[in-house]
Amino acid sequence: MFEITAFDAPLGAEITNFDFSRDGHLVDEIVEAWHQHVILVFRDQPTEPRTLASIARIFGTPVRQPLQRPEYQVEGFPELRLLSSLHIDTLGDREPLRIGGSWHTDHSHFPVPPRATILQAIKIPEQGGDTCFSNQRSAYEALDEETRSRIDSLSAKHVYNSRFTPRRMPTITGDEGKKQPEALHPVARPHPDTGNRSIYLNPVRVDGIEGMDDEAAMALVNELMDHSTADEFVYRHKWRVGDVLIWDNRQALHMVHHDYAPDVERLMIRTMIEGP
Ligand code: SIN
């Protein structure tokens, strides 16, 4: 039987001795632990595509990857995507993309964003390449009452790449560009399973707040982001090859530190689970 041990951190727990063929049916225990801890790390998992595909099924239905580039694909697994630090912006300036290098929550421009993202470490640099996670439920709960009631009725507009983004997304053209959705989401978004609110912002995608001018909207986004990514809400994950990490996109922001040499490959496989 596997063991779940909470991290000494504002979020996260690790699962050791997990064997999918033996423990994969214990869905309720695993999902409950995930809601509580926001991120779970399954240690020492075989680095084969079917590991990630099997673990994903505990949490729901995987989303088909929205950007289809040959270098992202895993043969036979349309729900999986490779994320390599050596990938470049093939339709743009051909510079390295360094995906995920600022705080965000995945695909928040979708009307129903993926509830979860699952990542497995395949190759990691000897030093660096950690991913940080920030607990947005605790950050919301730590706000004073006046700020909570101010943001509870606000909705933000999320687009593929905001006018105010701190980093660019892969260049998209033609039909792919036209297909990208936009969505309005509550700034303090209630969790569909627990009802608890979390701050739900994404500086890469948020292009405005309904009823506010751009300057006031971005001042509020920056103020809330400064609060919600303070050290007291953050866990920093040092990857080991084989780690499979699942996070709740409705309760956490994440950011990779691309603080390793440009010619070193950091390779991950990712899948996402349909929301809400
Ligand atoms: C992502 O932002 O989806 C990727 C995170 C990572 O590579 O650690």
Side-chain angles (χ1 to χ4, degrees), residues 83 99-100 104 106 119 131 239 247 254 256 266 268 270:
L83 293 180
I99 294 282
H104 65 289
D106 286 330
L119 204 59
T131 307
W239 292 95
W247 64 88
H254 61 284
V256 192
R266 177 182 184 275
M268 318 295 273
R270 182 176 81 180

Side-chain angles (χ1 to χ4, degrees), residues 7-266:
F7 293 138
D8 181 16
L11 69 170
E14 68 175 7
I15 301 192
T16 46
N17 198 25
F18 179 85
D19 177 345
F20 186 82
S21 57
R22 187 193 58 203
D23 305 321
H25 65 289
L26 296 169
V27 173
D28 291 347
E29 286 88 333
I30 297 166
V31 173
E32 197 183 310
W34 179 56
H35 284 157
Q36 184 189 345
H37 298 290
V38 184
I39 66 176
L40 290 181
V41 185
F42 296 79
R43 296 286 194 189
D44 305 314
Q45 296 300 305
T47 51
E48 300 159 1
R50 69 187 158 88
T51 304
L52 202 58
S54 303
I55 291 181
R57 285 198 291 274
I58 297 178
F59 295 92
T61 308
V63 178
R64 188 171 184 274
Q65 292 299 309
L67 290 193
Q68 296 288 323
R69 307 267 192 277
E71 68 273 26
Y72 295 170
Q73 286 166 8
V74 181
E75 209 186 319
F77 293 88
E79 74 275 36
L80 303 185
R81 178 191 155 165
L82 294 173
L83 293 180
S84 165
S85 57
L86 302 182
H87 284 159
I88 58 167
D89 189 11
T90 44
L91 302 182
D93 59 11
R94 306 192 65 80
E95 290 293 318
L97 281 163
R98 298 282 161 141
I99 294 282
S102 68
W103 288 111
H104 65 289
T105 175
D106 286 330
H107 294 4
S108 64
H109 63 309
F110 282 23
V112 184
R115 71 172 79 167
T117 300
I118 313 180
L119 204 59
Q120 182 168 35
I122 307 298
K123 277 189 203 170
I124 46 172
E126 266 177 35
Q127 290 199 330
D130 303 346
T131 307
C132 285
F133 297 87
S134 177
N135 189 332
Q136 300 302 290
R137 182 182 72 211
S138 304
Y140 173 79
E141 286 163 4
L143 290 170
D144 59 56
E145 214 173 305
E146 193 191 319
T147 311
R148 282 206 299 263
S149 59
R150 181 157 64 108
I151 66 170
D152 278 355
S153 56
L154 294 177
S155 292
K157 180 181 170 191
H158 296 243
V159 300
Y160 177 71
N161 210 181
S162 159
R163 289 169 295 154
F164 310 104
T165 183
R167 72 183 153 91
R168 72 205 164 87
M169 303 300 291
T171 304
I172 45 175
T173 55
D175 284 350
E176 204 171 54
K178 285 189 214 124
K179 268 193 270 171
Q180 292 303 316
E182 295 182 357
L184 274 181
H185 296 297
V187 170
R189 186 176 174 209
H191 193 283
D193 297 319
T194 65
N196 297 323
R197 284 184 191 262
S198 294
I199 299 174
Y200 189 74
L201 287 173
N202 180 354
V204 181
R205 312 270 196 202
V206 168
D207 203 55
I209 294 183
E210 253 195 338
M212 293 176 80
D213 64 45
D214 284 347
E215 198 180 334
M218 288 307 128
L220 179 60
V221 170
N222 291 336
E223 180 192 320
L224 290 170
M225 286 297 300
D226 284 350
H227 163 78
S228 73
T229 57
D231 289 351
E232 65 189 284
F233 305 120
V234 173
Y235 162 68
R236 183 172 181 135
H237 188 68
K238 291 193 182 308
W239 292 95
R240 295 186 211 157
V241 169
D243 280 357
V244 172
L245 195 152
I246 172 159
W247 64 88
D248 186 335
N249 276 311
R250 303 155 300 182
Q251 303 194 75
L253 292 178
H254 61 284
M255 172 178 82
V256 192
H257 288 274
H258 290 297
D259 52 355
Y260 46 88
D263 57 341
V264 169
E265 183 170 38
R266 177 182 184 275

